[in-house]
Amino acid sequence: DTSQMPSPSLATAVLVTAIAVFWVYVAAVGLASPATSPRPRIFEDDELRAAAEKQDTLLLVIVGRVFEVTSGREFYGKTKEQSDDSYEGFANGTDNTRAFLTADFEKNATDDLSDLQPGECLGIDHWVSFYNNHKTYTFVGLHHGRFYDATGTPTEAYTAFRACVEDGMATRAEMH
């Protein structure tokens, strides 16, 4: 009985989505060959806060991934008069991932993504891709916190976020 089988186009979309999610995961976790890829540096809270205070090197954290964004100092650095379009809260020594949805650092200055909807997870994942692929911002390590443990191993919170992104990708594929 083939009535229970998904249509070929749906099956193809699911397969393509699964492959895309796998490669996003590989890029996010850094599962390249151990011989060619050293373990990423693990940043502790105190290191991130110290960098934010000194402002020599600007470090931004999103979903536990740490990016050096010093070339964007006009956006992420502290200024004497902060304007409404300043993103200093993204490079303040903490993981404020949720604020990538709204840039509201009063309500959303947190890394807690546990109650997000799949579309919101896709929005945050867009920003992860933006930093991963930026010409001048560079990935420099992982934050020991909600998404990665002290060895750089993804936590349950990271796995839940990736599942939320996968749900969003599947929903988007169904709609197209």
Side-chain angles (χ1 to χ4, degrees), residues 37-131:
S37 178
R39 294 288 294 167
R41 178 174 173 194
I42 307 300
F43 287 85
E44 298 293 337
D45 290 336
D46 58 342
E47 294 175 274
L48 293 171
R49 283 191 298 270
E53 286 176 22
K54 288 175 68 176
Q55 291 282 297
D56 292 337
T57 301
L58 298 177
L59 300 175
L60 175 144
V61 185
I62 181 168
V63 191
R65 295 180 58 80
V66 182
F67 294 89
E68 191 266 309
V69 296
T70 308
S71 65
R73 184 174 300 281
E74 67 272 19
F75 305 112
Y76 302 107
K78 290 181 182 178
T79 61
K80 290 182 182 180
E81 293 181 25
Q82 288 291 16
S83 63
D84 289 340
D85 60 350
S86 171
Y87 299 122
E88 181 234 328
F90 290 125
N92 70 354
T94 60
D95 184 339
N96 289 325
T97 296
R98 192 178 188 102
F100 277 90
L101 294 172
T102 62
D104 183 341
F105 296 103
E106 288 183 31
K107 295 179 187 174
N108 293 317
T110 182
D111 59 356
D112 184 359
L113 309 178
S114 61
D115 63 344
L116 294 186
Q117 297 300 310
E120 293 170 311
C121 291
L122 283 177
I124 288 174
D125 195 53
H126 159 79
W127 287 108
V128 173
S129 294
F130 171 82
Y131 290 101

